[in-house]
Amino acid sequence: MKLLNTHFKQTCILYFTTGANSSKSFSNQKNKNTAIQKALFKKTLKEIRQTQLNYVVTDGKAKGNDFESRIKSAVEEVFLKGYQNIVIVGDDTPQLSAQNLLFAAKKIADKEVIIGESEDGGAYLIAFNKQQFYQGILENLPWQTNQFYQSLLCNIKSGSLSHQTLPVLQDLDDSLAVHLFINKFTSLKFAQLLKHIYIHQKFAVFISTLIDEKPICYIKDRAPPLAA
């Protein structure tokens, strides 16, 4: 698939990830916990790359002392690079697909905000343009709480912005969420992978060695953006 549309060239995916340094606990066994974190990171990165959109990967730690300042600084940096539109995703929603990302990228062209709600009340995807960002779409939000999605909706409505929603998806924050995901989606290959990691300690070590040990915080533009 070739993305020839000028709009897509002005759009960047911000992959905001904690990677192997995540504070989430999926298992009390270090190797299994690391293997799950890396598997989630790799799964999302694969979907991002399939879109052929430009993307940035960062943990934001060099940009602030708290989650809000880190993500907002990372967003601003993307726009300062010349992009006009952004799609923000994290690394804890294994059902996030390239189709979700492309749908969001397409709808931004119509100046719509796109949001994907997580089952726990958060958001696994937020897409908007540069103007909407500086109008304050991300201001005064209860980040990393179960009130985030509703608060974001309030910002969108108060700004009289048009929006569309993606299907509600389950994010994985702890071992219970992983077990629920495995039992609910038994036919999914990724659910089967997670199951193997839990069952086989050696398999967890094997998965860890397959996935890059490079630092998570880096910027990767596959093509320069068009000038604003």
Side-chain angles (χ1 to χ4, degrees):
M1 174 174 47
K2 293 184 179 180
L3 298 177
L4 301 178
N5 193 310
T6 298
H7 164 72
F8 282 122
K9 294 180 181 179
Q10 295 178 326
T11 301
C12 181
I13 298 174
L14 174 62
Y15 185 10
F16 198 83
T17 174
T18 51
N21 297 318
S22 173
S23 60
K24 295 179 181 179
S25 178
F26 301 113
S27 170
N28 57 11
Q29 297 182 42
K30 184 177 180 180
N31 284 333
K32 291 186 178 183
N33 197 61
T34 300
I36 291 170
Q37 290 170 350
K38 289 184 176 181
L40 283 167
F41 171 77
K42 200 74 171 180
K43 173 66 167 60
T44 303
L45 186 59
K46 178 182 177 182
E47 299 297 327
I48 290 172
R49 287 173 171 167
Q50 284 180 356
T51 68
Q52 298 186 36
L53 292 166
N54 295 321
Y55 64 91
V56 169
V57 183
T58 182
D59 62 10
K61 289 187 176 180
K63 307 179 188 303
N65 296 321
D66 57 81
F67 186 87
E68 179 178 4
S69 60
R70 288 172 183 173
I71 197 165
K72 287 165 69 175
S73 295
V75 170
E76 187 167 28
E77 183 176 338
V78 168
F79 287 134
L80 288 174
K81 288 170 68 66
Y83 293 101
Q84 301 301 306
N85 313 296
I86 194 166
V87 181
I88 307 174
V89 294
D91 59 3
D92 57 1
T93 309
Q95 288 179 284
L96 175 70
S97 68
Q99 289 74 23
N100 295 145
L101 295 166
L102 287 171
F103 175 83
K106 181 180 179 181
K107 289 300 179 180
I108 304 176
D110 300 324
K111 297 184 179 180
E112 290 192 272
V113 177
I114 310 300
I115 47 178
E117 181 183 5
S118 301
E119 287 187 353
D120 63 2
Y124 64 85
L125 181 150
I126 314 170
F128 48 87
N129 64 32
K130 184 177 182 179
Q131 181 180 357
Q132 291 160 346
F133 173 67
Y134 287 110
Q135 286 176 338
I137 191 174
L138 298 185
E139 296 301 319
N140 302 314
L141 294 174
W143 296 90
Q144 297 180 296
T145 72
N146 58 10
Q147 299 299 314
F148 180 83
Y149 179 80
Q150 289 301 323
S151 296
L152 179 59
L153 276 182
C154 287
N155 276 6
I156 291 170
K157 293 176 181 178
S158 64
S160 300
L161 302 175
S162 176
H163 77 281
Q164 289 200 38
T165 59
L166 292 169
V168 178
L169 298 179
Q170 179 182 346
D171 60 350
L172 306 185
D173 294 321
D174 51 35
S175 59
L176 176 59
V178 173
H179 281 291
L180 291 173
F181 180 81
I182 291 172
N183 293 329
K184 185 176 181 180
F185 301 103
T186 55
S187 62
L188 293 182
K189 288 184 178 180
F190 191 77
Q192 294 168 8
L193 170 63
L194 293 181
K195 184 176 181 179
H196 280 297
I197 292 175
Y198 265 107
I199 294 174
H200 304 295
Q201 177 68 28
K202 290 183 179 179
F203 191 84
V205 176
F206 175 66
I207 290 295
S208 294
T209 61
L210 285 180
I211 304 173
D212 291 340
E213 295 289 348
K214 297 177 182 178
I216 294 302
C217 185
Y218 66 94
I219 295 178
K220 183 176 181 63
D221 287 322
R222 293 175 23 258
L226 297 182

